[in-house]
Amino acid sequence: MNSSDGGARGDRRGRGRPRGPSTTTADMLAAAQRAFLARGYRAATMRAIAADAQVDPALLNSRFGSKRGLFVAALGSPFDPAGRVAAALAGPADALSERLARAALDALREPRQRAAMRVMVAEALADEQLRVLLAEYVDREIVDRIADRVGGAHAHERARAVVSVLAGIVFTRHFVGVPSLIAAVSPEDVRRLEAAIRAAAAPPPRTGTPSP
């Protein structure tokens, strides 16, 4: 998806052509592309996208599961970073840092996922509108959800620090290709990254002199 095509695929449907499952899916994806590019991730709604595609909102939710799922499908990406983070956020709080560490270290193992993500990043760097759209997606679906999970004071600042750690390990492993980081993941790698995530997510220390 990029701002130059504007979801043009949905405009190629000939008049009178039967609306089978594949046609309906193409219409929904084209409508999603138009909505996300025109309104941004936060402002685009499933109901408005369904109306544009001339389908029932229930069908849109049934086909893609959520706005996040629809966004990933509209991008044409086989990798769903927010879905991976959401899975890591589920479960006991005392193992949250370990689950996030493993999610980052296991990300983009499949060559097609790495290739798709590299293309997406390259397109975002060349297209400001797409870059802003992806930033909104990360902010809403990853930063906000981590902030909700960790809670407490300065939750969003701490969540952004966690995302910086996660993005850093993914970027250096699969985009820069640092040899020592591409090697097989060891238990020590998990422990070290877990410690970094835990430090990033920790509440800020209390300041001031305690009352006597």
Side-chain angles (χ1 to χ4, degrees), residues 2-195:
N2 58 62
S3 57
S4 62
D5 63 30
R9 286 179 294 175
D11 298 330
R12 296 173 186 166
R13 187 177 69 249
R15 292 183 179 179
R17 177 179 170 183
R19 288 170 60 87
S22 61
T23 303
T24 304
T25 298
D27 292 341
M28 290 189 288
L29 291 176
Q33 290 172 352
R34 289 191 293 270
F36 288 131
L37 288 170
R39 303 184 185 94
Y41 185 80
R42 287 181 180 272
T45 66
M46 295 287 274
R47 184 172 295 278
I49 293 169
D52 185 19
Q54 300 180 36
V55 298
D56 191 289
L59 176 61
L60 199 64
N61 281 286
S62 174
R63 189 70 56 86
F64 300 102
S66 64
K67 184 165 76 168
R68 187 193 77 215
L70 177 58
F71 180 75
V72 172
L75 286 175
S77 173
F79 179 62
D80 178 10
R84 186 173 288 269
V85 169
L89 292 177
D94 58 356
L96 175 60
S97 296
E98 179 185 354
R99 292 195 302 274
L100 287 171
R102 292 187 181 280
L105 291 168
D106 290 342
L108 301 177
R109 281 192 168 187
E110 296 182 15
R112 71 188 189 97
Q113 291 183 337
R114 291 195 296 273
M117 187 59 69
R118 286 167 181 158
V119 169
M120 187 188 305
V121 170
E123 289 182 351
L125 291 174
D127 187 329
E128 178 65 10
Q129 189 177 12
L130 180 57
R131 186 197 65 76
V132 171
L133 180 59
L134 287 172
E136 283 190 12
Y137 164 76
V138 170
D139 195 48
R140 174 66 188 91
E141 296 293 345
I142 299 180
V143 175
D144 282 1
R145 293 183 186 278
I146 292 177
D148 290 343
R149 187 69 170 86
V150 300
H154 306 287
H156 275 83
E157 288 86 346
R158 291 152 53 207
R160 284 193 286 269
V162 170
V163 172
S164 295
V165 173
L166 298 176
I169 194 67
V170 172
F171 186 83
T172 51
R173 279 173 66 83
H174 300 299
F175 289 84
V176 179
V178 177
S180 60
L181 294 175
I182 298 175
V185 176
S186 69
E188 185 61 25
D189 292 330
V190 177
R191 284 193 293 270
R192 290 182 184 278
L193 182 56
E194 178 188 354

